[in-house]
Amino acid sequence: MGWRTWMRFQSEGDRRRFEALKAVLFSRLPKETSFTSLAHETLLLAVARLAASCRDGTDEAVDVAERAEKLAADDPGMAALVAAARRLQYESPYPSDPAAYPAAPDMAAPFLDAFAPADWRRGRGFYITPPPLAAQLVEALGVEADEASAVRLFEPGCGSGMLALAVLGRCRHALPSQKNRRAARLGELLSGWRIVEREPLLAAIVSAQLLTLLAEESRDWLESLSHWPIVTADVFATKPGAAFSHAIANPPFVGEKRARAAIAAARQAAPQTSRAYAGKADYWFLFLQTALDALRPGGRLAFLTPAYWPTADGAHALRQTIAEQTQRTNLFEPCETIPAAKGLATLVFSATKWKIRLIAEQQSSEIFHVREDSEETALLNCMAAAGRMLAGADGPFTVDCGVQTGADRATAAQAERLPRGAPIGAGIFVLSDAEREALLDRCEARERKLIVPLSKTPAIGPYVLAGKPAGWLIYLDGSIDLDTLPALRNHLKPFKAVLSARRECRLGRMPWWRLHWPRRAALFATATILAPQRAACPRFALAPQGRHTSVDVYHLAPRALEPLTLFGWLALLHSAPVHFWLARRGKRKGALLELYATPLQRLPAPRRIAPASVRRLDQIGAALHAEMKTLAEADEEKPWHLAWAAMRRSATKKAGELLALQEEADALVARAYGLTRPQLQRLRQRLKRETDRPA
């Protein structure tokens, strides 16, 4: 999140204070700022604010820090805090007037979040929670006034301390007003907390900010502490035990590919986290499992999470452990985005751990839904009741993805295995036009049939498969021996080291020259409807003779089309009710809607469509396909979905005619789902606000 965004959350007076402190801080940093240098200087700033809050200034800040350190049992974060406090005794670059500092409890967050190097941030999934979102998480945590003074909080990875400080702010209001009783209860409260942070400098900053927040209290509260609540450690090595009443976190958003080593180490240190692991898992899954294990029965949890896990196939084990361990789960749309996490949609997740788990009451782990308003719920329930799963046992389609080669082209990461002289970008399984022409000259007739056009997302829909192929695929599914294909064998042999390094080859499950996941050859040889995995809104295209596609394109292969033809299904799939369903059941990633196989398979296809509506939907689909094919072929330089969007914005006569046809299809499909005309109108209005529909 940028500096300007952080300043948006501050009062006008605090914005001036932040700007003044920023000028001093950056005057002291080297030109090439690392995260370590930024964190060191931010810690010094945080300790300077602590000193300004103490009556005796720096000397008292050192004394308070040393007393807290004695409670921390050789904690490296506390050692860093004491070192920074002592440094201020002979070097004082920051103001000694408390009025020079912002009132925000987490003053360090804007500096750490806005100026952390991008590579450091991405590698650790470090995204600090904006204040409005922190307040929403605390609200979701459900700290009631009558229990606030007895909260036992666990946070597995606190960053700059935004969430812990927000919870403390809520709890302090419930403490006794008498000074001596208040100090004792405050010490008891914090003794029951465990706030874990792996980075010593971040832990030190949180400790400094905690001490500052409590500087107005009697110093006697330190005497009633049994241990310091901020712990510098790997959370998976801490073994917290099921002792906490509340858990809260904005965990590291690191995907599986970048966190394999960290995930393996966590599972080894804390084997119980494997319950959220089913062959694959993102790093934050293990944080959620650890927090659930740390809660006592009846304990409550609030997490900020990416938005994909409620429906993602790879998160089934996570949903299963949540279903087994919790009740009253809730998913909410966040009140604030995290701009630094570009393309990452998030959710606020809250749950209560079972007190007594009754198997009969256990919630389903199949799929979790974001809490919707009552009208949205009514619309979705109405559609579900009137439909059958698009790819269910009795559904009209199967849903499969395209080819995964495992090696489209030569990359820099493969440099050590590439043949001498092979340029980066050279085609292996996917060829350019020039590479195809050169190879065809050496191929026999049967080999030429195996070099097929390949389509990717930009060519898909609406309605038509448009534009030139994205490349040419050498389709080898293992059914033909490579030794009988001399030209293709000679092409692939120099890349044998690269191809043999693919997982399935290493495990001995396939020959080195086969496509990694070729799918069924028949899938690409018959008429099918294609859908891109990611797009601004759902798009579908008819491939009348089939088409080979990349893995990020789904094939809706017909199984029993009645009552509609493929043209009728195109009109239905582009309708407003279907787009509304997919927008609510897909995964939003920034401006794109991500549709994996599950939401497509679960899309309710109307069970009954009136015969007159069937005929009209088939006519509308055929007309829209023919018109859009003509328009797309007139300008193949621009992807058709972008050309169509431009036509709609310019409000051409032709665009108006096509939109009128689609609106007629919307009404027919709404009727098949049992939706009323006012419901359809409100549904359209919601889609118009949220996304740019292609038709």
Side-chain angles (χ1 to χ4, degrees), residues 550-621:
S550 53
V551 70
D552 59 349
V553 175
Y554 281 99
H555 292 241
L556 278 62
R559 184 162 53 190
L561 286 180
E562 293 184 3
L564 296 168
T565 66
L566 282 175
F567 291 120
W569 283 109
L570 271 181
L572 183 144
L573 290 168
H574 281 100
S575 69
V578 169
H579 282 200
F580 179 75
W581 172 279
L582 293 174
R584 292 300 179 274
R585 296 297 180 248
K587 176 171 102 179
R588 182 62 64 179
K589 296 191 78 172
L592 299 180
L593 179 67
E594 189 169 67
L595 295 174
Y596 282 105
T598 299
L600 286 172
Q601 290 167 341
R602 292 174 180 272
L603 172 69
R607 285 193 181 89
R608 297 181 183 86
I609 306 177
S613 296
V614 168
R615 290 192 296 272
R616 187 55 184 152
L617 282 171
D618 287 340
Q619 292 169 358
I620 291 172

Side-chain angles (χ1 to χ4, degrees), residues 291-412:
L292 283 172
D293 291 339
L295 287 175
R296 64 195 184 201
R300 292 195 290 275
L301 171 145
F303 258 58
L304 183 68
T305 74
Y308 63 85
W309 69 270
T311 57
D313 294 341
H316 178 77
L318 177 68
R319 293 196 297 273
Q320 181 66 38
T321 193
I322 290 172
E324 290 174 353
Q325 291 185 261
T326 69
Q327 59 183 330
R328 293 196 294 275
T329 56
N330 289 302
L331 291 167
F332 303 94
E333 295 285 356
C335 65
E336 186 72 39
T337 60
I338 303 179
K342 292 180 180 177
L344 179 69
T346 56
L347 291 173
V348 173
F349 168 63
S350 68
T352 301
K353 191 168 182 177
W354 284 107
K355 287 186 176 179
I356 301 175
R357 179 156 53 110
L358 301 177
I359 299 301
E361 295 181 10
Q362 183 173 311
Q363 59 190 321
S364 169
S365 64
E366 280 296 303
I367 191 166
F368 288 6
H369 297 312
V370 180
R371 178 172 287 189
E372 293 135 352
D373 61 36
S374 57
E375 183 178 35
E376 285 192 1
T377 302
L379 290 171
L380 295 167
N381 288 343
C382 187
M383 291 178 66
R388 52 182 173 155
M389 283 174 54
L390 188 73
D394 62 342
F397 291 93
T398 62
V399 176
D400 294 284
C401 56
V403 171
Q404 184 171 351
T405 69
D408 285 10
R409 300 178 179 278
T411 67

Side-chain angles (χ1 to χ4, degrees), residues 126-268:
F126 180 79
Y127 302 104
I128 294 178
T129 316
L133 190 49
Q136 186 182 9
L137 277 163
V138 173
E139 192 66 33
L141 191 62
V143 177
E144 303 295 342
D146 59 351
E147 65 178 1
S149 61
V151 164
R152 298 199 65 189
L153 182 70
F154 177 68
E155 185 178 1
C158 64
S160 66
M162 176 71 73
L163 294 176
L165 295 171
V167 175
L168 181 60
R170 173 74 64 93
C171 293
R172 287 175 71 201
H173 294 303
L175 294 175
S177 56
Q178 298 93 333
K179 198 169 187 180
N180 58 342
R181 289 186 59 211
R182 185 178 179 84
R185 291 293 296 276
L186 184 58
E188 292 170 8
L189 174 72
L190 291 175
S191 292
W193 288 24
R194 182 169 295 183
I195 312 301
V196 184
E197 174 52 51
R198 186 177 63 180
E199 299 286 342
L201 289 173
L202 289 177
I205 290 169
V206 179
S207 292
Q209 298 198 122
L210 176 61
L211 289 167
T212 302
L213 189 65
L214 300 172
E216 63 191 55
E217 307 285 352
S218 166
R219 287 176 58 186
D220 293 339
W221 71 269
L222 274 169
E223 303 294 340
S224 56
L225 269 177
S226 60
H227 70 271
W228 187 246
I230 316 299
V231 179
T232 308
D234 180 349
V235 68
F236 303 111
T238 58
K239 297 179 174 55
F244 296 92
S245 64
H246 296 77
I248 193 169
N250 171 4
F253 294 162
V254 187
E256 182 197 14
K257 290 182 180 178
R258 285 191 284 121
R260 286 195 177 110
I263 291 171
R267 291 177 63 212
Q268 184 175 5

Side-chain angles (χ1 to χ4, degrees), residues 450-624:
L450 297 174
I451 303 175
V452 296
L454 180 72
S455 291
K456 296 190 175 184
T457 290
I460 311 299
Y463 281 89
V464 296
L465 179 63
K468 299 175 182 177
W472 298 88
L473 173 71
I474 301 175
Y475 187 76
L476 295 175
D477 62 357
S479 62
I480 302 175
D481 191 339
L482 187 66
D483 287 337
T484 66
L485 307 168
L488 298 183
R489 180 189 62 210
N490 292 337
H491 167 75
L492 292 175
K493 195 169 182 180
F495 302 105
K496 184 174 180 179
V498 171
L499 298 177
S500 298
R502 294 174 298 167
R503 185 188 64 191
E504 298 299 293
C505 293
R506 294 197 312 270
L507 296 174
R509 294 173 178 168
M510 69 179 197
W512 66 266
W513 46 266
R514 200 196 80 178
L515 292 167
H516 201 68
W517 299 115
R519 316 302 174 191
R520 296 175 292 111
L523 180 67
F524 310 112
T526 56
T528 188
I529 291 177
L530 306 176
Q533 188 183 98
R534 297 180 188 89
C537 55
R539 304 197 308 264
F540 301 88
L542 176 62
Q545 280 79 47
R547 177 60 65 94
H548 291 80
T549 68
S550 53
V551 70
D552 59 349
V553 175
Y554 281 99
H555 292 241
L556 278 62
R559 184 162 53 190
L561 286 180
E562 293 184 3
L564 296 168
T565 66
L566 282 175
F567 291 120
W569 283 109
L570 271 181
L572 183 144
L573 290 168
H574 281 100
S575 69
V578 169
H579 282 200
F580 179 75
W581 172 279
L582 293 174
R584 292 300 179 274
R585 296 297 180 248
K587 176 171 102 179
R588 182 62 64 179
K589 296 191 78 172
L592 299 180
L593 179 67
E594 189 169 67
L595 295 174
Y596 282 105
T598 299
L600 286 172
Q601 290 167 341
R602 292 174 180 272
L603 172 69
R607 285 193 181 89
R608 297 181 183 86
I609 306 177
S613 296
V614 168
R615 290 192 296 272
R616 187 55 184 152
L617 282 171
D618 287 340
Q619 292 169 358
I620 291 172
L624 286 169

Side-chain angles (χ1 to χ4, degrees), residues 272-291:
Q272 69 275 11
T273 59
S274 293
R275 283 178 296 185
Y277 182 86
K280 59 189 298 186
D282 286 350
Y283 193 32
W284 70 267
F285 288 17
L286 279 59
F287 282 77
L288 182 56
Q289 180 65 68
T290 300

